[in-house]
Amino acid sequence: MKSMLTLLLISSIATSALFFTGCSGGTDTKAIGSVADAAMKVYVAPGAKDEFYDFASGGFSGQMAVIGLPSGRLIRVIPVFSMDPEKAYGFSEETKPMLMTSHGFIPWDDSHHPEFSMSDGVPDGRFLFINANNTPRVARIDLTDFRTKEILEIPNSSGNHSSPFTTENSEYIVAGTRFSLPIPNEDVSIQAYSEKFKGTLSFVKMDKATGRLSLAFQLMMPGFDYDLAHAGKGPSHDWIFFSCYNTEKANTMLEINASQNDKDFIVAVNWKKCEELAAQGKGQIVNVSYAHNIYNDETHTASSVMEKDVRILTSADTKGNVYYMPTPKSPHGCDVAPNGELIVGGGKLATVIPVLSFSKMLKAIQDGKIDKEIDGIPVLNYKACLAGEVEKPGLGPLHTEFDDKGFAYTSMFVSSEIVKWSLKDFKVVDRVPTYYSIGHLGIPGGDTKKPWGKYVLAYNKITKDRFLPTGPELFQSAQLYDITGEKMKLLLDFPTIGEPHYAQACPADLIVKNSKKIYQLAQNKHPYATKKEADARVVRKGNEVHVYMTSIRSHFAPDNIEGIKVGDKVYWHITNLEQDWDVPHGFAVLGANNSELLIMPGETCTLLWEPKTPGIYPFYCTDFCSALHQEMQGYVRVSPSGSSTALTWNSRK
Amino acid sequence: MTMKSRLFMVLASALLIGLFFVPMWSITLEAPQYPKGYELGILISINEVRGANEFDLQNVNGLNHYIGMKPIDEKAIPELEYMPLIVGVLIAVGLLTSLIGKRQLVIVWLVLLLIAGTLGMYDFYRWEYDYGHNLDPRAAIKIPGMSYQPPLFGSEKLLNITAYSYPALGSYLILLSVALAGWAWWASRKAATKLPLATAGT
Ligand SMILES: [Cu+2]
């Protein structure tokens, strides 16, 4: 079965099997070595905690998975771009604005690349960014409570794929468009692609104090597909690099038509200079409309505003600060080594792994080693920028990360393996199979200045026979390898949510020390908060009814309400009065056309309920909060519209 | 009393000022839901009852409502009003003792302290008994014959909760104070026999 797959992949690509090694094993014993040894390394005893947090994107689930390493245990799913009825994300009145866009409310997206906020080129444990691919957006997650606090839509973009990579101190978070478009978007013939369609690279500024995002400027680029990015560090601090493919500018059958050039590009942008140019008022302001959604920690409520205008810099504005470096062939990964000097391209269809040199690039610019210009952007000479090539690495190099001992690890989608090679002489030193078809890989801190080179993780696209079958639809999986020795050793397979495109891992301490346990009730500034039971009440405003309700072990106040009428819009504003760790209360009411609420200690959440027929409707706590959780319930009476039932509610007896 | 003894008496009295700032007793509640490192704690001082962590008292009261225990409310404990006065008087008498320098006054002071301490412990026990036995008959959890009085000293398992009751820093201050006063008394006796002329007030 597996060798069949291998054969299929090999023949479909019509390449010689020369490059191919490994990935035909039936059991793992070869990759694992001693099973007991591997088990010892991943076993986290009951009550003990994992050493690393791993944040893996949920891909088409739109969310973010939080995994403990080395155990591979899923410890949290953070809702980001998709509604989540469990946490009422996108269902509660407070979180609905988070999913607003210029296209209206969008319940889903495809989230690809997590990225830590950085200080001096290493994760600082404050925030995690992630991109929405389909309707271009960038989200900021707060790592003190693992909640999405901000979502910024990216205008003039589509398929926000080369995002949200950040500069060395998270000065900027970038967002490069995968699909080029007419800018501004308009009704034109698709055949006009090569002349009318353009790409944009967006620079989102992060406010250091608050983490708040704002769209600073965009670069107008030729109509290629911009794929991934990584910022420079150390000597290359001022620069950021984007990979791009479809430099053929094909608009149909890209699998053939965008695979013709044997070199595409890595774009090098001097963001520091571009920032100055933007500050000087270069370029032009273009009128656009894009959503900016911010969750307020004090009111526990998100708001969405439509922002206007963006500054666009063209190649004429940025002359001398944007260059193309040729890179074989259809590059995906664009990865900068810890020293900030080497830039590794992952050419999906390339037979080598090109390693470009930042210092050589600067020299090539200085010496005018320019092959041609595309739309005013100079194309540097490949050889002049090249540090070296990794020969015969395998098939389908995608993505490279680094350890702290001078080695690089590149994922090979087609030959389904991880290849370890030396940054000194670019020679392959080891390779291990992955099961199957690895996409991205990840080393804790592996794209930063200081990798914690203990493990490499494979995020695989195909699972096939690795787990118990679940019908045609299988989950995707990750694999954990020990990289402390000379040889990589497979330790563990574990399932993931959605499709993990990329992940970021860091030592647990970085996040544990800031982790919140409760929300302070005293600091709750929700306009409908009820801070003590005595204040619980029901208020009618026309056909709107606001229930100011409290929950505490093990009752709601009030828990009997009469005088609701068919046609009313009932807002259940529920405040969890607990100030104790891990004591959420839930809320669900019969016939609600949305989700439950799950309210954390000190928090206020609101559920909109529009009962359609008269009768008695029970409500209850959905989270097993206490021994008398099952008693935590109540009734609401709904009368026909226009009836004279008085609005009444009880207080605690 | 010698100057040294007087000084010790001053110290013994001054140590009691600490009682206004640090708890004398600590009750810690450990349960499966409140494991080691995350226990609930109650700290008892002469002038306040508070949680070891910001919301511990509120959470203890929250849990206690299931068994019908009254919420611990500082306003319902008048001792918190007059205990500071008693300690204040003890401090004043102690300082006066060192000023006057009469050895016998040290003994009087120690006896006063002993009476206050014993009454304090008895009062503490009485409150524990009251909280543990005076339960709301409509409580959700009722176990015939079961009371929930925390131990005066040591640990005891009450349903899912193990209560630990031990002296806190304040109590050690009192012990130190007693030791200092005792030493002041003892040292001045030796001084009296050895150097009768050099002593004052004997
Ligand atoms: Cu509950």
Side-chain angles (χ1 to χ4, degrees), chain A residues 32-320:
Chain A
I32 294 178
S34 156
V35 172
D37 230 40
M40 285 285 286
K41 283 184 172 143
V42 300
Y43 184 65
V44 176
K49 290 179 191 77
D50 279 298
E51 186 185 352
F52 293 94
Y53 278 104
D54 186 40
F55 297 90
S57 69
F60 41 65
S61 88
Q63 316 296 49
M64 177 90 79
V66 186
I67 294 158
L69 298 179
S71 73
R73 295 177 295 190
L74 178 73
I75 48 184
R76 181 94 184 137
V77 175
I78 306 170
V80 187
F81 296 115
S82 296
M83 296 173 80
D84 181 353
E86 176 192 319
K87 303 174 184 74
Y89 184 78
F91 289 91
S92 71
E93 294 306 297
E94 289 79 7
T95 55
K96 279 176 182 172
M98 289 305 285
L99 299 179
M100 283 306 293
T101 72
S102 61
H103 306 270
F105 182 89
I106 291 189
W108 168 91
D109 215 302
D110 181 17
S111 60
H112 277 231
H113 313 117
E115 175 93 341
F116 283 124
S117 59
M118 304 279 221
S119 289
D120 195 24
V122 291
D124 56 21
R126 293 178 72 203
F127 305 115
L128 193 62
F129 306 102
I130 189 163
N131 61 319
N133 199 48
N134 185 47
T135 303
R137 282 169 286 170
V138 169
R140 177 172 56 89
I141 294 165
D142 184 338
L143 291 176
T144 65
D145 64 356
F146 288 55
R147 281 190 174 181
T148 307
K149 294 290 169 70
E150 187 171 9
I151 293 181
L152 179 69
E153 190 177 1
I154 309 293
N156 296 328
S157 177
S158 182
N160 177 35
H161 197 272
S162 48
S163 181
F165 302 95
T166 103
T167 54
E168 208 170 342
N169 297 296
S170 293
E171 294 95 339
Y172 288 95
I173 290 102
V174 297
T177 187
R178 168 183 166 189
F179 301 107
S180 285
L181 294 170
I183 292 174
N185 206 348
E186 57 179 337
D187 172 23
V188 297
S189 165
I190 299 168
Q191 302 311 314
Y193 187 106
S194 60
E195 57 198 276
K196 287 246 167 95
F197 288 35
K198 298 284 176 206
T200 54
L201 304 177
S202 304
F203 287 76
V204 174
K205 182 121 191 104
M206 188 194 82
D207 181 82
K208 193 85 189 157
T210 61
R212 286 281 179 90
L213 305 177
S214 58
L215 181 56
F217 58 89
Q218 295 185 311
L219 304 187
M220 183 82 88
M221 300 292 289
F224 307 152
D225 287 33
Y226 295 86
D227 202 19
L228 283 170
H230 261 105
K233 38 197 172 240
S236 53
H237 170 84
D238 294 355
W239 293 74
I240 185 160
F241 308 93
F242 296 82
S243 59
C244 63
Y245 63 100
N246 190 21
T247 55
E248 297 85 350
K249 294 192 180 177
N251 56 283
T252 175
M253 285 297 288
L254 266 66
E255 66 168 318
I256 302 295
N257 295 330
S259 303
Q260 297 305 306
N261 295 344
D262 62 58
K263 292 208 176 51
D264 295 286
F265 302 119
I266 282 177
V267 192
V269 175
N270 187 327
W271 61 264
K272 195 89 181 160
K273 281 277 163 29
C274 291
E275 176 183 59
E276 285 170 27
L277 293 168
Q280 288 160 17
K282 293 273 159 50
Q284 67 180 114
I285 303 288
V286 174
N287 189 249
V288 285
S289 182
Y290 58 101
H292 192 180
N293 312 331
I294 297 173
Y295 183 89
N296 182 315
D297 281 325
E298 290 186 322
T299 60
H300 303 287
T301 303
S303 60
S304 177
V305 295
M306 283 295 159
E307 305 258 18
K308 301 258 174 283
D309 299 342
V310 60
R311 178 176 300 279
I312 296 187
L313 303 174
T314 64
S315 61
D317 300 317
T318 59
K319 205 152 200 64

Side-chain angles (χ1 to χ4, degrees), chain A residues 368-478:
Chain A
K369 294 270 173 61
I370 289 158
D371 287 352
K372 58 176 174 178
E373 276 195 2
I374 300 173
D375 296 358
I377 297 172
V379 178
L380 298 171
N381 180 270
Y382 175 60
K383 284 271 180 312
C385 300
L386 193 68
E389 288 175 338
V390 181
E391 305 275 352
K392 297 185 180 175
L395 297 176
L398 275 190
H399 173 221
T400 302
E401 293 223 326
F402 307 90
D403 69 12
D404 45 355
K405 298 177 215 65
F407 294 99
Y409 299 75
T410 302
S411 61
M412 299 284 168
F413 177 81
V414 177
S415 53
S416 185
E417 59 187 330
I418 296 174
V419 172
K420 175 181 175 182
W421 49 276
S422 164
L423 286 171
K424 281 203 191 74
D425 56 11
F426 312 126
K427 293 270 191 300
V428 173
V429 296
D430 190 25
R431 55 180 75 234
V432 284
T434 62
Y435 304 94
Y436 307 93
S437 285
I438 179 175
H440 279 270
L441 49 70
I443 291 170
D447 65 344
T448 73
K449 257 179 167 169
K450 288 184 195 138
W452 292 272
K454 196 164 179 183
Y455 307 109
V456 63
L457 284 114
Y459 298 97
N460 298 322
K461 304 299 185 189
I462 299 171
T463 313
K464 295 268 175 186
D465 58 348
R466 295 292 289 185
F467 295 84
L468 291 174
T470 55
E473 191 173 347
L474 306 173
F475 54 77
Q476 300 193 5
S477 79

Side-chain angles (χ1 to χ4, degrees), chain A residues 551-556 578 583-586 620-626 628-629 632:
Chain A
S551 63
I552 195 162
R553 283 165 287 178
S554 308
H555 60 274
F556 293 106
E578 307 281 356
V583 191
H585 289 292
Y620 71 103
C621 172
T622 50
D623 187 295
F624 207 114
C625 56
S626 57
L628 297 173
H629 154 76
M632 195 164 170

